[in-house]
Every structure is written in structure tokens, then in C-alpha cells.
Amino acid sequence: MGYELRVERPAPLAFAELATVLGQAGFEFRGSQESGEILARHNGAVHAIAVWNGGLSGTPGSDWQVAQLARVSALLGARLVGEDGESYAIRGGLVEQLNGSAAYEFGKLDEILSAGPTVWSQ
């Protein structure tokens, strides 16, 4: 099992709100109101980026998946948080990991999304 990121926000996330936001942003959903997968397309292929089970979380294997999760989080007015308490955000067109006062840049959002889901090497 990989490293899990979860979407957190002060108010509970209702499925209807999730479905509306995903549809407007071009994401897809497969499943039911109780559980399912959030999907994103790249070059005609569909890739799972998160799971829904009353909450939203993902186990990314690429910068592209982190960027997609950060996009979903921003659209929901939420924070994307890692297991160690770090957060991930899009600021000024950059995808960043924030940990206290330190920031690590993954890169430019548009470039990461264009590159697609290239899996991190082990």
C-alpha cells in the first residue's frame, strides 16, 4: 500500500456537492453515493485518482495524480493532507508540498498535467 493523501475540510462533504464539482471540472465518477472512484482522463485513457467512501482520499503514484488531487481539493474548498501532516496545494500555477514554513515545488500545474501519469520509480 502506498502513501495516502486525504481531502479535509471543516464541513462534511456531501456526495451531491462532490458530483457537481467533479462534473463541472471534467472529472468522472464510477460507483455509488456510498463508495466509488474519482477518475481523470489523459490521452484518451482513464486513470483513478481517488476513492470516495463518505470521504475522499487517494494513493498517488505520480506527480500528475498529486496535481489532480490538489485540483479536486481546491475545487471543493478543502485541503489535501498527507499522512505526516504535510499539505499539498496549487499556488501561483505551481503544485507544492507544504510542511511548516518549508515548500517543495513539484512543478508547474499545466506542465504536470500535460506530462500525464508517469509513475514514480521505486
Side-chain angles (χ1 to χ4, degrees), residues 7-104:
V7 176
E8 293 183 348
R9 63 184 223 167
L13 178 59
F15 179 78
E17 182 182 2
L18 174 68
T20 298
V21 167
L22 293 176
Q24 291 172 346
F27 291 96
E28 298 175 34
F29 182 81
R30 182 183 316 150
S32 68
Q33 290 186 18
E34 291 76 33
S35 66
E37 289 183 305
I38 310 312
L39 308 165
R41 290 190 171 272
H42 186 265
N43 287 340
V46 177
H47 304 273
I49 61 161
V51 294
W52 165 258
N53 55 9
L56 200 54
S57 63
T59 309
S62 69
D63 288 353
W64 182 84
Q65 288 174 310
V66 171
Q68 295 289 14
L69 283 165
R71 284 184 60 220
V72 169
S73 296
L75 292 167
L76 293 169
R79 290 178 3 123
L80 182 61
V81 180
E83 292 176 6
D84 295 329
E86 78 284 9
S87 62
Y88 299 80
I90 300 170
R91 295 191 315 174
L94 298 173
V95 178
E96 297 181 323
Q97 177 190 46
L98 309 164
N99 196 348
S101 62
Y104 165 76

